[in-house]
């Protein structure tokens, strides 16, 4: 039987082998004893030079293996485990080199294929991961959490539906166009904006002019207002239109068509509470020109018409006070003509008869002039209590008296032939 010779038990194993050889008469017993005792028994593994023999002790072999393994993990401390980790690829170096050649260098390069990210995985940019692009399985996102701006820069920017339909178009130094269902609805221009279709605003719209005036379009709960400054045009839900100045109503048009100026409850097609004025086309507030003014006084309970001439500062007024009609001349406070309860007064505000004419002393009260000095006059001279006169000219009848007997006298009377008196 063959005998194993172990480095760690060299002396014993050699003796066992030699004894086997003696037993088999392969060698002489005395020779074996001499060899073992002289050449082996006195020797140890320390007498063997490392590197020059093939025989090592277990300890020395383990030390050499430990130098190779170093501190490798337990699953990679044998050649078999290392081979398995390398895919049992005898050309592992070439394989790795070829694989690295297909990768994008950290310094940058060109990608010739698609870069795919599964749902929830992000393309992240920035030291602080400020910019992230990703898809969560339902929606797609571009998140910019940085403090700066997200700038999309081009000479022409388009936002389109995935089929190519236009949604937003922005051209350098040109228009920005908004689309609805691929139809342009809103576009900027060098002079402002162009809107196609109906414009709907939420409550307020302000338009500023170069001189600072602001046009306001406001929608309140009960009405819509178009105003400039404190002056507004208001349209109510019940189809009433009214104008106000600093929220004080000035004029309205009710839904029944009645127009009220100075009143919020017009009962007629046109109702004016206050004074009205009609000025000629050539007239103005400071120059000449004639006009017609409708006047109303709440304190005096009267109304009327005033015809005036600004150039001469003169006027004539027709005033209506209850059942009384008065005509007042320019600069006068007392009416020159009054109609009161079917009585006409000239020169008096309280006529006592159907026609009551009052004039100054020694004046003609009534005169009918048909021309060529043909007149019919009524006059008076109150130097005495009863002095009155009545005469017809040219040169005709003169009748008068100056006493309480009411006598008739004449100073000159000429009758045609065959006429009697």
């Amino acid at each position: 039987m063959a005998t194993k010779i172990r480095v760690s038990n060299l002396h014993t194993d050699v003796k066992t082998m030699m004894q086997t050889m003696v037993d088999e008469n392969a060698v002489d017993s005395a020779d074996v004893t001499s060899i073992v005792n002289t050449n082996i028994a006195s020797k140890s593994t320390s007498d063997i030079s490392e590197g020059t023999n093939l025989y090592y002790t277990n300890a020395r072999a383990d030390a050499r293996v430990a130098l190779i393994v170093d501190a490798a993990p337990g699953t990679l401390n044998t050649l078999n485990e290392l081979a398995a980790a390398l895919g049992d690829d005898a050309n592992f170096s070439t394989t790795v080199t070829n694989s690295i050649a297909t990768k994008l260098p950290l310094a940058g390069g060109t990608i010739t294929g698609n870069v795919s990210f599964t749902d929830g995985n992000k393309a992240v940019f920035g030291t602080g991961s400020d910019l992230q692009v990703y898809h969560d399985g339902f929606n797609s996102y571009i998140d910019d959490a940085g403090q700066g701006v997200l700038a999309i820069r081009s000479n022409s920017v388009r936002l389109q539906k995935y089929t190519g339909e236009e949604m937003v178009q922005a051209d350098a130094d040109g228009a920005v166009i908004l689309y609805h269902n691929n139809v342009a609805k809103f576009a900027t221009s060098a002079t402002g904006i162009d809107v196609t279709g109906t414009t709907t605003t939420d409550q307020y719209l302000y338009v500023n002019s170069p001189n600072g005036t602001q046009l306001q379009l406001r929608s309140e709960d009960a009405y819509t207002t178009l105003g400039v400054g404190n002056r507004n045009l208001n349209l109510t839900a019940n189809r009433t239109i009214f104008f106000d100045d600093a929220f004080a109503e000035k004029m309205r048009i009710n839904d029944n068509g009645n127009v009220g100026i100075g009143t919020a409850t017009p009962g007629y097609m046109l109702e004016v509470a206050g004074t009205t004025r009609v000025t000629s086309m050539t007239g103005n507030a400071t120059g000449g020109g004639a006009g017609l003014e409708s006047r109303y006084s709440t304190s005096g309970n009267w109304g009327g018409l005033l015809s005036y001439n600004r150039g001469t500062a003169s006027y004539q007024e027709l005033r209506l006070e209850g059942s009384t009609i008065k005509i007042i001349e320019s600069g006068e406070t007392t009416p020159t003509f009054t109609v009161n309860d079917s009585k006409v007064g000239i020169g008096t505000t309280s006529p006592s008869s159907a026609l009551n004419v009052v004039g100054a002393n020694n004046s003609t009260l009534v005169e009918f002039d048909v021309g060529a000095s043909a007149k019919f006059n009524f006059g008076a001279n109150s130097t005495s209590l009863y002095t009155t006169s009545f005469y017809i000219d040219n040169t005709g009848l003169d009748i008068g008296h100056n006493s309480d007997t009411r006598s008739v006298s004449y100073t000159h009377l000429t009758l045609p032939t065959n006429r009697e008196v």
Side-chain angles (χ1 to χ4, degrees), residues 66 127 282 364:
T127 302
T282 59
T364 300

Side-chain angles (χ1 to χ4, degrees), residues 359-366 377-383 386-391:
N361 181 38
N362 197 24
S363 63
T364 300
L365 300 181
V366 179
N377 295 340
F378 290 89
N381 187 338
S382 59
T383 55
Y386 301 105
T387 300
T388 59
S389 65
F390 166 74
Y391 67 92

Side-chain angles (χ1 to χ4, degrees), residues 299-318:
S299 60
N301 192 28
W302 58 266
L305 295 175
L306 182 70
S307 176
Y308 62 90
N309 188 311
R310 294 188 182 277
T312 61
S314 60
Y315 64 88
Q316 289 79 39
E317 181 179 352
L318 173 63

Side-chain angles (χ1 to χ4, degrees), residues 341-385:
D341 294 331
S342 301
K343 297 177 182 180
V344 178
I346 301 176
T348 177
T349 59
S350 55
S352 58
S353 58
L355 175 61
N356 189 180
V357 181
V358 178
N361 181 38
N362 197 24
S363 63
T364 300
L365 300 181
V366 179
E367 178 177 282
F368 299 93
D369 189 345
V370 295
S373 298
K375 298 179 181 180
F376 177 49
N377 295 340
F378 290 89
N381 187 338
S382 59
T383 55
S384 62
L385 181 61

